Amino acid sequence: MEQREMEKQVENPCNVELTGYAANKSRTSSSPQFPLSFWEMAAASGVVLTFVLGLICVYLTMPASDYTFLKLPRTLEDLQILRDHLENYTSDYTIQVLMGYSVVYIFMQTFMIPGTVFMSLLAGALFGVVKGMALVVFTATAGASSCYFLSKLIGRPLIFSLWPDKLVFFQAQVAKRRTRLLNYMLFLRVTPTLPNAFINVASPIVDVPYHIFFLATFIGLIPAAFVTVRAGIALGELRSIGDLYDLHSIATLFLVGIVSATPTLMSKNKS
């Protein structure tokens, strides 16, 4: 019996590490404390400061004007107002608008701030389908990568505080699909099986290699990016975010998800 337990531990060391961390956390849960240490908070604050400095640099290169309209859009009405104002700057200050957009999008992805769907719509409205999709895929992948490495540095205590059960489930699924991990990660990116924010934070914790994480993110975000960027061109016709995903779009995303998951399912049946 003891030998079997030792073999399981050798096969799945990451699970032992997660279980040990969870057990240690439960022993100390009687005295609630902030999940991050001083140095972890300092590292996160340093990342925030870097983004803020980037935005300040972009702002200083823009002409003197009233920029009170600049805020993160939370509704389609906010987005339309932002689009109307930025259209006046995009042609003359393309680089500044691109830099400002990229910094904001990557910052939102890094710190799991909701609202990136509005940013994707804005990219379509300002730059068109091809350029807008390239911009969204680039910034979304960069933001997810930034979140991945930040989580690798300070994410373990945070994710155990937010999603302990979901993390154990994700770790078990990754361990079962090591030989076809790219297909599984692609499936997760295309389908709503797990939230993208959770995947970004949890992947380094459960030892998903970065090259697989990067490829799955870059390729897997293309279908959803195309849907939202294309919808951004006809922004005035949207009445709600739900209008983005019509039957055709949902069927396309579902088909892509099934195709990406097929090798994983076949290998599982063979074993």
Side-chain angles (χ1 to χ4, degrees):
M1 188 70 178
E2 292 181 357
Q3 185 176 0
R4 288 182 180 177
E5 290 295 325
M6 290 179 65
E7 290 175 354
K8 289 181 179 179
Q9 291 180 6
V10 171
E11 290 176 1
N12 199 357
C14 185
N15 188 47
V16 175
E17 185 179 354
L18 293 180
T19 305
Y21 186 93
N24 183 62
K25 182 174 174 56
S26 64
R27 287 195 296 268
T28 59
S29 60
S30 56
S31 57
Q33 57 182 0
F34 192 70
L36 299 181
S37 68
F38 170 79
W39 292 110
E40 289 169 339
M41 277 299 300
S45 300
V47 175
V48 173
L49 182 61
T50 301
F51 281 107
V52 172
L53 290 176
L55 284 176
I56 291 175
C57 291
V58 172
Y59 176 79
L60 292 177
T61 62
M62 295 292 287
S65 182
D66 180 14
Y67 293 107
T68 54
F69 64 88
L70 287 177
K71 65 176 183 178
L72 291 180
R74 294 302 181 191
T75 65
L76 287 175
E77 184 179 356
D78 292 342
L79 184 60
Q80 289 167 358
I81 294 172
L82 185 60
R83 185 272 315 269
D84 294 340
H85 283 87
L86 286 179
E87 278 182 336
N88 300 325
Y89 295 94
T90 302
S91 58
D92 296 330
Y93 299 94
T94 305
I95 299 299
Q96 288 89 334
V97 173
L98 282 172
M99 291 296 296
Y101 177 96
S102 299
V103 170
V104 171
Y105 200 118
I106 294 172
F107 177 82
M108 294 175 70
Q109 284 281 83
T110 300
F111 293 97
M112 302 178 292
I113 300 174
T116 52
V117 63
F118 293 111
M119 297 295 291
S120 299
L121 288 168
L122 182 62
L126 294 178
F127 302 105
V129 174
V130 177
K131 293 180 180 178
M133 196 171 77
L135 180 61
V136 168
V137 172
F138 165 74
T139 51
T141 304
S145 298
S146 177
C147 185
Y148 177 98
F149 288 113
L150 185 63
S151 177
K152 194 169 188 176
L153 180 65
I154 65 172
R156 188 177 297 274
L158 193 61
I159 197 170
F160 267 104
S161 300
L162 296 175
W163 301 295
D165 296 332
K166 194 173 292 186
L167 181 63
V168 172
F169 168 79
F170 185 40
Q171 192 278 328
Q173 296 302 311
V174 168
K176 288 193 298 184
R177 294 170 170 83
R178 281 289 173 189
T179 57
R180 297 282 185 176
L181 190 54
L182 178 58
N183 298 100
Y184 177 63
M185 294 297 293
L186 274 171
F187 174 76
L188 293 181
R189 285 302 192 189
V190 175
T191 63
T193 307
L194 289 172
N196 277 327
F198 171 80
I199 296 171
N200 296 341
V201 178
S203 291
I205 307 301
V206 300
D207 292 335
V208 174
Y210 176 67
H211 69 280
I212 289 180
F213 175 87
F214 174 84
L215 286 174
T217 301
F218 184 82
I219 299 171
L221 293 180
I222 290 176
F226 175 75
V227 171
T228 51
V229 169
R230 185 186 61 176
I233 296 177
L235 188 58
E237 300 176 7
L238 291 178
R239 295 293 175 265
S240 69
I241 294 298
D243 294 342
L244 287 174
Y245 300 101
D246 55 15
L247 183 60
H248 180 266
S249 299
I250 294 175
T252 301
L253 293 176
F254 180 78
L255 179 61
V256 173
I258 292 297
V259 170
S260 63
T262 298
T264 304
L265 297 175
M266 291 177 63
S267 63
K268 183 178 178 182
N269 291 333
K270 288 180 180 180
S271 61

